[in-house]
Amino acid sequence: MAAKGIKCVKGVRDIFPPEIDIWKFIENIWEETFSLYGFKEIRVPIFEYTNLFQRGIGESTDIVEKEMYTFTDKSGNSITLRPEGTASVVRAYVEHNLNKESPFNKFYYIGPMFRYERPQKGRYRQFYQIGVEVFDDNSPEIEVETLEMVNFALKKLGFSKYELNVNSIGCPECRPNFIKILKEKLNENKEKLCDDCKRRIDTNPLRVLDCKKESCKTVINEMPKITEYLCEDCKKHHLRLLKLLKGRKINYVENPLLVRGLDYYVRTTFEVVVENLGAQNAILGGGRYDGLVKELGGPDISGFGFALGLDRMVIALNENIKNSFQKNPDFYLAYFGENVIDYSFSILEKFREKGISVYTNFKGRSFKSHLRLANRLNSKFVILIGEDEVKNNKIIVKNMKEGTQREIKFDDLNSFLDEISKEN
RNA sequence: GUGAGAGUAGCUCAGUUGGCAGAGCACUGGAUUGUGGCUCCAGUGGUCGUGGGUUCAAAUCCCAUCUCUCACCCCA
């Protein structure tokens, strides 16, 4: 129980061992994968001027309208804790003219995002994303390479049951036309829809297509699909993408109902969903945002990227993989008696110089309680040092699993340690 | 922002019509004074989420509030 009155803020949390090992495992696999595919890290601030997000994400989106942590700083500027990463990366790209600096165009970021939402499974007010952005490449090919990279990393992480949903939501040329037609058709069937959907016809017509109620589903089945209303260029792009995905044998599901909540998306959108996450089942999502760089004051170049929710990925990660992270140091040093600490320190140093991690405890324990602790920590070996060992310049190494132990003379320590290093 | 459930020891949870605050696991010590796990014995540990109210008496009833969980909504 926490000390009186001291608690963390609603919707945020601490992450500590052993769970932190799972986080680092996931982060490492993504970073290794990014490196293989030629991405480099970019670090951007956690807060920005509010208008970056207003312009970037879209003034009327839910995120900007009601979910941002916005405050006024001491000089009267409106500041917002970032609710997502793309706007910041694009801002940095534009601000520093990175397109002129070098031809390099593939970036990834990792860090916390902030949204004021009601907490729920897989949804927190401070949550962590890893994301990638590719600038100045409007080809379907880069999309395929990126999706292949997603598959690559997810497989390495041990995900076997997931589904890649792909859609095209058109562009500012063709999408308004589709929405107009969809609204008309929905209004014709208005009486058959649930109350929520009746409201959505005006607020968010695309969202009606995603309703789970049976009565609505029958209506939805007869509704037009956005992919049938794409303009020539968008259609060409989309068909090329699907063809390439098939060629690369990347499994996907065409989902004409997949829409994104951020205004900047055009054409290709995609999402990876898993089963065991409850309502928040999307672990990764993204798409193309060709107009955003220009919108934020840069050249008219394209953008494509995705973000993944680390919190959700940790929850969804296969249970047996999670259990393999109970990793404490193999060695525990137990010392007891008068004037043995100097000797013990020198032994610890020897181990560490050879790259072998050792844990010990300085609370003046008896051998019994040392060993009990070592057992709890799952130590494989315990180094025992008492007055006798100091006097005779040796250590005892006990194998906890076998229950056996052997004496090592201090002079033989180096070769013993080399032997261990080789085994690991 | 809306709806439902929950909050008691470090953890998982009991606690009857209101009547001394409980168990298991964990922890500390001992049985075994330089050797873990198994067993036995003993011990530490609580502002019953918080603040009010009713009552001789509240973990229990009432009001408020905070947090967690799940769903709506939205998104990664």
Side-chain angles (χ1 to χ4, degrees):
Chain A
M1 195 55 54
K4 193 177 177 181
I6 302 180
K7 289 182 193 170
C8 70
V9 174
K10 176 172 180 166
V12 310
R13 63 208 179 114
D14 305 304
I15 301 156
F16 40 85
E19 191 190 320
I20 194 71
D21 289 331
I22 300 168
W23 286 71
K24 297 191 92 163
F25 169 74
I26 295 172
E27 289 163 12
N28 286 339
I29 286 191
W30 282 105
E31 291 195 312
E32 285 164 16
T33 304
F34 293 151
S35 167
L36 289 172
Y37 281 80
F39 285 82
K40 291 210 180 268
E41 186 176 6
I42 179 169
R43 296 195 185 184
V44 291
I46 278 175
F47 50 84
E48 300 269 2
Y49 290 119
T50 303
N51 62 7
L52 170 66
F53 300 117
Q54 289 169 336
R55 286 178 61 186
I57 300 170
E59 199 83 57
S60 62
T61 57
D62 278 9
I63 293 176
V64 171
E65 261 185 359
K66 49 191 186 193
E67 295 176 0
M68 295 207 300
Y69 277 95
T70 298
F71 61 96
T72 305
D73 73 6
K74 293 192 180 193
S75 43
N77 294 312
S78 182
I79 304 292
T80 294
L81 300 183
R82 62 181 186 195
E84 60 107 47
T86 300
S88 296
V89 175
V90 172
R91 195 265 310 138
Y93 188 78
V94 170
E95 183 171 341
H96 304 292
N97 287 308
L98 296 184
N99 60 317
K100 291 175 189 155
E101 193 91 349
S102 90
F104 191 77
N105 66 337
K106 296 166 95 172
F107 300 92
Y108 75 88
Y109 59 85
I110 173 168
M113 307 295 162
F114 306 85
R115 290 182 202 172
Y116 186 87
E117 295 182 277
R118 194 77 171 263
Q120 195 177 320
K121 182 170 188 173
R123 192 170 84 181
Y124 306 96
R125 289 182 172 183
Q126 174 174 334
F127 60 102
Y128 295 81
Q129 287 193 336
I130 298 178
V132 311
E133 315 293 351
V134 184
F135 295 105
D136 199 17
D137 188 336
N138 60 10
S139 67
E141 283 80 359
I142 186 65
E143 299 172 9
V144 172
E145 189 195 36
T146 306
L147 289 172
E148 191 172 280
M149 175 172 80
V150 167
N151 258 347
F152 185 93
L154 288 178
K155 290 218 170 87
K156 267 202 154 178
L157 285 164
F159 283 98
S160 51
K161 288 186 118 180
Y162 60 89
E163 192 177 285
L164 171 64
N165 287 283
V166 179
N167 192 25
S168 172
I169 58 168
C171 65
E173 297 278 311
C174 49
R175 189 168 37 199
N177 183 40
F178 170 73
I179 290 178
K180 197 178 137 210
I181 291 167
L182 178 65
K183 270 191 184 177
E184 283 169 14
K185 297 258 182 192
L186 285 173
N187 272 316
E188 284 171 21
N189 293 278
K190 196 170 183 178
E191 292 315 310
K192 297 179 200 159
L193 295 170
C194 68
D195 288 344
D196 279 338
C197 284
K198 281 176 188 155
R199 182 174 47 78
R200 285 174 184 141
I201 293 175
D202 290 317
T203 58
N204 193 348
L206 293 173
R207 192 64 200 165
V208 177
L209 302 176
D210 203 22
C211 188
K212 281 130 199 154
K213 296 207 174 74
E214 280 305 319
S215 55
C216 294
K217 277 185 177 175
T218 53
V219 175
I220 292 163
N221 280 336
E222 290 161 23
M223 288 297 120
K225 307 242 182 302
I226 189 164
T227 40
E228 290 162 7
Y229 286 79
L230 298 176
C231 60
E232 274 311 305
D233 286 348
C234 285
K235 190 183 281 177
K236 211 173 133 194
H237 185 99
H238 190 55
L239 292 177
R240 171 91 178 143
L241 169 70
L242 298 186
K243 192 182 167 198
L244 288 166
L245 286 174
K246 279 185 194 125
R248 295 300 305 149
K249 295 196 165 45
I250 296 172
N251 292 323
Y252 67 90
V253 177
E254 268 189 87
N255 181 356
L257 310 180
L258 175 66
V259 291
R260 309 256 92 218
L262 292 75
D263 279 0
Y264 54 62
Y265 284 115
V266 295
R267 291 190 175 170
T268 305
T269 59
F270 64 95
E271 193 170 86
V272 174
V273 297
V274 294
E275 279 172 357
N276 54 340
L277 266 181
Q280 311 299 320
N281 64 350
I283 55 170
L284 184 153
R288 181 163 283 290
Y289 50 87
D290 290 344
L292 185 59
V293 177
K294 192 179 179 193
E295 168 66 27
L296 294 178
D300 188 7
I301 57 176
S302 59
F304 178 76
F306 68 82
L308 62 94
L310 259 175
D311 308 73
R312 291 181 187 177
M313 204 156 279
V314 169
I315 297 170
L317 194 69
N318 190 300
E319 284 298 328
N320 8 342
I321 290 179
K322 282 187 190 176
N323 292 337
S324 65
F325 288 100
Q326 306 287 353
K327 239 170 76 191
N328 288 313
D330 286 345
F331 284 83
Y332 179 103
L333 185 141
Y335 70 94
F336 184 70
E338 296 293 318
N339 300 318
V340 299
I341 188 66
D342 285 341
Y343 186 76
S344 300
F345 270 128
S346 66
I347 298 296
L348 287 168
E349 186 183 20
K350 283 271 186 195
F351 273 73
R352 288 163 181 161
E353 277 173 353
K354 291 284 182 183
I356 300 162
S357 59
V358 200
Y359 183 90
T360 191
N361 177 288
F362 298 103
K363 277 158 77 174
R365 289 167 179 271
S366 62
F367 278 114
K368 187 194 193 112
S369 93
H370 269 303
L371 280 159
R372 207 176 282 163
L373 179 56
N375 191 58
R376 253 189 97 206
L377 290 168
N378 272 317
S379 307
K380 288 184 184 153
F381 301 95
V382 173
I383 306 151
L384 292 154
I385 296 174
E387 290 163 21
D388 212 33
E389 285 68 36
V390 175
K391 199 186 297 172
N392 297 306
N393 260 305
K394 61 179 187 185
I395 62 172
I396 292 171
V397 176
K398 176 173 178 130
N399 181 323
M400 292 295 275
K401 197 174 168 192
E402 311 285 330
T404 57
Q405 59 188 49
R406 60 192 272 206
E407 286 185 13
I408 315 284
K409 292 205 173 74
F410 189 84
D411 294 337
D412 299 334
L413 195 54
N414 277 333
S415 55
F416 172 72
L417 292 173
D418 288 338
E419 192 185 311
I420 295 166
S421 303
K422 240 180 257 169
E423 282 170 21
N424 295 333

